[in-house]
Structure formats: C-alpha cells, structure tokens
Amino acid sequence: MPLNCGIVGLPNVGKSTIFNALTAAEAQAANYPFCTIDPNVGVVSVPDERMDQITKFVKPKSIVPTTMEFVDIAGLVEGASKGEGLGNQFLGHIRSTDATCHVVRCFADPNVIHVAGGVNPLHDIDIINTELLLADLETVEKRWARTERAARNTTDVGVKCEAEALKKLLEGLQAGRPARVIELTAEERIAAYDLHLITAKPVLFVANVDEAGLKDGNDWVAAVEKRAAEEGAQVVRICGAMEAEIALLEPDERAEFLADMGLAEPGLNRLIHAAYRLLGLITYFTAGVQEVRAWTIPDGAKAPQAAGVIHSDFERGFIRADAYHCENLFALGSEQAVKEKGLYRSEGKEYVVKDGDILFFKFNV
C-alpha cells in the first residue's frame, strides 16, 4: 500500500484543480465550497530520470516506476473542529493520511470566489492550523482525563510514560504548538502513536499562484515562504491552472510547452518529489532483462527491510544483497564494467540501502 499525502486547504484555493492535474482522476472542480465531499484518491508515478537511464543499459521488457498516493480532501472552514461545514468528515479523512499538502491561494481572480472574502494566505493557514490544533486538543484532553487518574494509582512504567507524553502534548497544544514540534522521547512517541494526531503529520505548503507569480513570486508567496521557514516546513510554488493545461497535452507537446515557458519540468513533478522527501522516502531499483523496477523504502532502511517490500519471504529468508549504485552504471556503461572496477558488492543484514542503489537479493525460505 503506497504512502499517501492528503491535499487540504480552504474551499476554492485550487486543491481539486491540482489533484486533477496530478492524477488525471477528474475530481469535480467547481466554483463553490464543498464540491469535493468524499475524498478522491489517485496513485501517481514518481518521476525519476534514473529509470530512463538504467533502461538504456539494461534494455528490459517492462518498466515499473514507484508510486505515491494523493488524497483530495473536502475543503475545511472555520469551526470545522466543532462540526461546521464538512468538519467531521474532513477531520476523519485527514487522520488516515501520512502527510499533509496544504494548498494556499496566492493569486487574485475576481471570477473565483474566496470563502473568507479575500486572498490572505496567512489567514487561511491560521484557520486550518487552528482547527487542526483544536481537534487534536480535544483528542488529547479526553485521553488525559482517563490516563492521569490511572498514572496516579499505578507503578506501571507504560502507563506513566503515556501520561507524561499526554501532559507534554496537552501543554504544547494549549500553547498553540502543533504536535510535530513538541519534544517527546522515543518511548513517549510510541505511547502517543495511537492518538493519530493530525498536527503530528509533516506538512508541505503548496502556493497556488498565477503565471506571473510562478516566475517572479509575489507578496503572498513571500509571506507563505516566511511562515514555512518559521515552522521548518517546505514550500512548492505551482500554477494550478497551467498544470491542468499541461496535463492534457501529449508528451511531445508538453515538452515544447515547458520549453516555451522556460521550465525544466512540470511543477507537479516538483510537488511529487517534495512530498516524497517529506515522508522520508528513497528509491532503490531492481534491474534485469525482464523488468526494471523502482521500489520505495524509508530513508535509513536496511537491506532485509528493503527486500521485504518486494515480498515478505525475501525479508524472512534474507541471506545477502548484491549491490551497486546506478551512478556507477551510468559512468561505466554496464554491470560487467562495474564488477571489473570492484564496485559490485555483497552486503549483509546491516547494510543501509542508499537512494539509487541497484539491488539483487539472495534469500532462502
């Protein structure tokens, strides 16, 4: 099951337009709030030029890229934590995602209604943040009321650890700090995991701009970038309307359009890569004449864990991984040349897989 990012924001900021371009899923986009009620889900390929390069040398029968899942979630409005608008549905859907892509509108257009009455991305961010904080605060308060009493009457280390985690979360959320920046020990994070706090998720801001804003930025984009820097978050600048046009073009036409605009790649590629990094993911490859395939693993994963994403038997019966890096293949031109240079290695269970590794697993079940 691919890891996923929930695309969130106020109504009419361009969430569904960007989602449509990302996934070609044709989620309904309309000029009124709540046109997206049930979350639309799309699985997209992660663009990776290294796969194209690998295939030049390996010449496989098939190519399988790695993927990410994006979820277009209904627009949130002020009061969502108390059930306003589609608040309960929104909060339920976003809890099930791994990370949040927060779309904010950074362009003026009198023909597109803004639910808050005018373009003010920082105000939009504050509304979303406040509603998510309030929802998390309610969750923590309910658990704290029960756990605090239990912790006073027990010597159980686990219960006391949970109580300490909840106390820190409660104090942080009450002070307006999202759960992701509240300092917890490793044990406390484990104890609090099943709370599924929304503000514990990593966040990527997506500044939806017009064509001029894409090239030169604007005051709204600058304000979002400043806020993101203060929160330790990233910002990706995208012109949703332009990306929607690009997504409808044939590949040759798309390349010509991008060249005319002075762009190296679609903004959506940058969004996908940024979301991939946000989730702490890397890619390794398996490469043979039957198939070249990309696989997604957490950064820092060891060889058996990487083998397990192919099949659980690979991890259970792991013996070793034959490995070399794709850059060695590009530089030397063939696997045989890589071997002759002594760059083809046999790695054991403690090997930490690197982004861009080409691996061949040996296992026995």
Side-chain angles (χ1 to χ4, degrees):
M1 180 180 178
L3 294 173
N4 58 27
C5 284
I7 302 177
V8 304
L10 295 181
N12 290 352
V13 296
K15 300 184 315 302
S16 294
T17 298
I18 290 172
F19 176 83
N20 287 346
L22 265 174
T23 67
E26 300 183 356
Q28 182 185 13
N31 187 24
Y32 55 90
F34 312 129
C35 78
T36 306
I37 297 175
D38 295 322
N40 295 277
V41 179
V43 178
V44 302
S45 298
V46 176
D48 197 326
E49 293 181 354
R50 297 173 300 183
M51 284 198 75
D52 296 331
Q53 290 181 272
I54 291 171
T55 59
K56 292 177 182 178
F57 300 104
V58 177
K59 303 188 186 309
K61 294 179 180 178
S62 66
I63 303 170
V64 183
T66 191
T67 60
M68 275 199 66
E69 189 173 271
F70 285 88
V71 184
D72 180 25
I73 298 172
L76 176 147
V77 296
E78 195 164 5
S81 61
K82 303 300 180 185
E84 293 294 326
L86 295 169
N88 292 332
Q89 291 185 45
F90 175 98
L91 296 171
H93 293 318
I94 193 174
R95 284 189 197 281
S96 65
T97 61
D98 299 300
T100 303
C101 290
H102 185 167
V103 180
V104 287
R105 179 171 160 182
C106 295
F107 67 91
D109 186 340
N111 296 316
V112 180
I113 298 167
H114 191 287
V115 71
V119 179
N120 186 339
L122 294 188
H123 178 253
D124 296 355
I125 290 171
D126 288 338
I127 289 176
I128 296 281
N129 286 349
T130 298
E131 294 304 322
L132 300 185
L133 277 166
L134 289 173
D136 279 353
L137 184 57
E138 182 179 359
T139 299
V140 173
E141 284 175 339
K142 287 179 179 178
R143 179 72 70 86
W144 169 249
R146 183 176 73 248
T147 305
E148 192 240 354
R149 287 193 300 270
R152 287 200 308 263
N153 300 305
T154 185
T155 58
D156 187 293
V157 175
V159 175
K160 289 187 175 296
C161 179
E162 181 182 1
E164 187 61 30
L166 289 168
K167 182 181 178 182
K168 291 179 181 179
L169 288 167
L170 188 62
E171 292 172 350
L173 292 167
Q174 288 173 336
R177 298 166 61 217
R180 62 182 168 274
V181 303
I182 297 171
E183 292 186 8
L184 301 177
T185 66
E187 293 78 10
E188 288 167 352
R189 290 202 176 278
I190 292 171
Y193 176 78
D194 68 346
L195 291 168
H196 300 295
L197 298 179
I198 303 169
T199 63
K201 301 177 188 297
V203 174
L204 170 69
F205 290 111
V206 181
N208 189 14
V209 298
D210 55 18
E211 192 172 314
L214 184 64
K215 295 179 179 178
D216 305 318
N218 56 43
D219 291 343
W220 293 315
V221 172
V224 172
E225 290 174 343
K226 182 174 183 294
R227 173 67 65 86
E230 293 169 354
E231 296 185 6
Q234 299 179 55
V235 179
V236 175
R237 196 185 304 175
I238 283 184
C239 177
M242 180 189 296
E243 296 297 330
E245 291 181 29
I246 293 172
L248 297 175
L249 298 175
E250 296 297 326
D252 291 345
E253 296 175 322
R254 192 176 303 169
E256 184 178 346
F257 181 91
L258 290 171
D260 290 343
M261 296 299 298
L263 300 173
E265 62 177 355
L268 294 176
N269 285 16
R270 289 184 286 107
L271 171 57
I272 294 168
H273 288 142
Y276 202 70
R277 292 192 302 271
L278 185 69
L279 288 166
L281 305 175
I282 63 171
T283 300
Y284 79 86
F285 303 96
T286 51
V289 293
Q290 292 299 319
E291 177 184 86
V292 167
R293 184 163 184 157
W295 303 89
T296 299
I297 57 172
D299 193 4
K302 294 183 178 180
Q305 185 181 355
V309 304
I310 299 177
H311 196 285
S312 59
D313 285 349
F314 281 34
E315 182 172 9
R316 185 160 54 91
F318 179 88
I319 299 173
R320 72 175 189 272
D322 293 336
Y324 64 96
H325 199 272
C326 66
E327 294 296 338
N328 301 143
L329 177 65
F330 305 155
L332 298 173
S334 70
E335 184 182 301
Q336 183 59 36
V338 172
K339 290 179 178 177
E340 290 172 358
K341 283 287 186 178
L343 298 172
Y344 189 98
R345 313 176 313 277
S346 181
E347 302 287 359
K349 292 182 178 180
E350 296 304 310
Y351 176 66
V352 177
V353 177
K354 297 177 179 60
D355 186 46
D357 272 350
I358 298 176
L359 301 177
F360 302 86
F361 296 107
K362 303 295 172 62
F363 69 101
N364 182 35
V365 178

